[in-house]
Amino acid sequence: MRQLSNRSIILKKRPVGMPTEQDFEYREAPVQEPQAGQVVVRSIYMSVDPYMRGRMSDAKSYVAPYLLNEVISGGIVGEIVESKSEAFQAGDKVIGMLGWQLYNVVDAKLVRKIDESVAPLSAYLSVLGLTGLTAYFGLLDIGQPKAGETVVVSGAAGSVGMFVGQIAKIQGARAVGIAGTDEKCAYLMNELGFDAAINYKTTKDLGKALEEACPNGVDVYFDNVGGTVSDAVMTLLNDYARIPLCGAISSYNSTDGDMGPRIQSKIIKTRSLMKGFVLGDYASRQQEGLVELGTWLSEGKLKYEETIIDGFDHVIDAFLQLFQGTNLGKMLVKVS
């Protein structure tokens, strides 16, 4: 293999509040030669995700924090350019949790082959990847929606939320989405089949708007944002409601703590279930989810949207845009 030049993104310092470009650093170095059992992967698409913000701090969490002065990692779809593993050959398309860099030299067991004839490569980072699986298991395993029930999802036009609403509809439930622009709300209803959508940024009385959108109360609340949006939903919980806790992006960059109404009494009175989860909880069932999502996708029951930013130089910018709510669906960076 001819000598390749690599570029990587390093976590230079831990962000305080909203991350800035000064918290990161680009570095260049030659691509190392692969050893036996290793492959060289050229990055094609990189995923940027809200959970990465938590890993940039050193607080204890469900996953180890990123190390300072080390390459940041995330979901990447790429192409094998050199293989010293019998499992892969040059030209194979693969996916894995790899470094934010142009090339990754890794053990072959850290990537898996994907089929471009089944779906576009980018789909393996969204509907057939982390976000689709998160929606699938969180909603069906914890939320357990039944026909005729009402499912509310916050961050509904985001990479997880849009699948939650569609899967709820597949199960025969009523889907109500909460998003941050009129355009996103229109997309949810007109393109994805949501029964109602609320713009939380322009609605003067979110509680009243939710009451009108959920005349029979809320049976399942899939929470991606936390904060005042979730406070408003909690007042409408039906008895035995289920609340999958997927994210709390409203507080990820807070430096003052996340203060709000106490919900214990509501949970007790309604005998509701609230459960936090991460996709890793369902690692042994991943294939089940991929088969079901793939079937729904092929049948036209699932649609997906992506916001794709071009260029490795814009990875950090794409990540920061997540907290401004500019993306519709999955935020990706097309590297090559």
Side-chain angles (χ1 to χ4, degrees):
M1 182 180 74
R2 64 181 176 83
Q3 185 64 61
L4 297 171
S5 179
N6 208 1
R7 295 190 72 207
S8 307
I9 299 177
I10 307 298
L11 182 63
K12 184 178 180 181
K13 60 181 181 178
R14 300 201 182 280
V16 177
M18 180 69 73
T20 69
E21 291 191 7
Q22 285 66 47
D23 297 320
F24 310 91
E25 182 179 289
Y26 286 89
R27 291 185 182 172
E28 297 188 9
V31 176
Q32 299 299 310
E33 288 289 332
Q35 302 301 308
Q38 291 188 322
V39 293
V40 181
V41 182
R42 175 178 61 85
S43 298
I44 298 176
Y45 287 102
M46 290 184 174
S47 174
V48 293
D49 299 282
Y51 80 87
M52 293 176 167
R53 175 61 184 88
R55 294 194 66 187
M56 291 174 188
S57 74
D58 57 3
K60 182 179 179 181
S61 185
Y62 60 87
V63 63
Y66 294 126
L67 298 177
L68 290 177
N69 297 309
E70 295 289 341
V71 178
I72 294 170
S73 62
I76 290 179
V77 161
E79 180 181 7
I80 302 287
V81 295
E82 183 176 355
S83 174
K84 290 192 175 179
S85 164
E86 294 182 356
F88 297 97
Q89 60 184 8
D92 286 345
K93 303 301 191 299
V94 296
I95 186 171
M97 293 297 290
L98 306 175
W100 273 4
Q101 45 195 9
L102 296 179
Y103 296 92
N104 281 274
V105 182
V106 296
D107 289 341
K109 63 184 179 182
L110 295 180
V111 296
R112 66 178 174 88
K113 197 177 300 186
I114 55 178
D115 189 347
E116 198 170 5
S117 69
V118 173
L121 293 179
S122 60
Y124 288 91
L125 290 170
S126 58
V127 61
L128 298 179
L130 182 148
T131 54
L133 290 168
T134 298
Y136 177 87
F137 288 115
L139 181 63
L140 297 183
D141 190 71
I142 302 172
Q144 299 183 14
K146 302 174 183 62
E149 290 190 328
T150 296
V151 175
V152 174
V153 54
S154 54
S159 58
V160 173
M162 63 169 48
F163 299 126
V164 172
Q166 292 181 83
I167 296 171
K169 294 297 294 181
I170 291 171
Q171 303 303 309
R174 174 179 170 80
V176 177
I178 304 172
T181 70
D182 289 342
E183 291 77 13
K184 289 180 178 180
C185 289
Y187 175 80
L188 293 175
M189 295 181 65
N190 299 334
E191 297 296 327
L192 302 187
F194 279 60
D195 296 283
I198 300 169
N199 182 344
Y200 75 94
K201 289 185 177 179
T202 59
T203 300
K204 293 182 178 179
D205 188 336
L206 181 57
K208 183 178 180 181
L210 281 164
E211 280 188 49
E212 294 174 352
C214 308
N216 297 316
V218 176
D219 300 292
V220 180
Y221 173 45
F222 195 104
D223 191 2
N224 286 307
V225 304
T228 56
V229 169
S230 294
D231 293 340
V233 178
M234 294 296 179
T235 64
L236 296 174
L237 295 179
N238 288 331
D239 287 350
Y240 307 106
R242 289 82 67 198
I243 309 162
L245 293 179
C246 179
I249 195 171
S250 67
S251 65
Y252 286 172
N253 297 308
S254 173
T255 57
D256 301 324
D258 189 22
M259 302 298 291
R262 306 293 189 264
I263 63 171
Q264 288 90 334
S265 62
K266 294 184 178 68
I267 298 297
I268 293 170
K269 290 176 182 176
T270 60
R271 286 85 80 203
S272 296
L273 168 71
M274 175 184 283
K275 183 179 180 182
F277 75 100
V278 296
L279 184 56
D281 299 337
Y282 300 95
S284 64
R285 295 172 56 193
Q286 178 173 305
Q287 191 59 33
E288 167 202 331
L290 289 173
V291 169
E292 201 69 49
L293 290 166
T295 299
W296 289 333
L297 184 64
S298 66
E299 293 174 347
K301 294 179 180 178
L302 277 185
K303 297 180 180 180
Y304 66 99
E305 194 71 36
E306 301 163 334
T307 298
I308 298 177
I309 294 180
D310 285 319
F312 185 72
D313 289 341
H314 297 292
V315 172
I316 296 170
D317 180 53
F319 172 69
L320 297 179
Q321 285 187 40
L322 289 172
F323 304 102
Q324 301 165 11
T326 60
N327 58 299
L328 178 62
K330 187 77 183 78
M331 178 74 89
L332 297 170
V333 178
K334 189 175 189 301
V335 179
S336 60

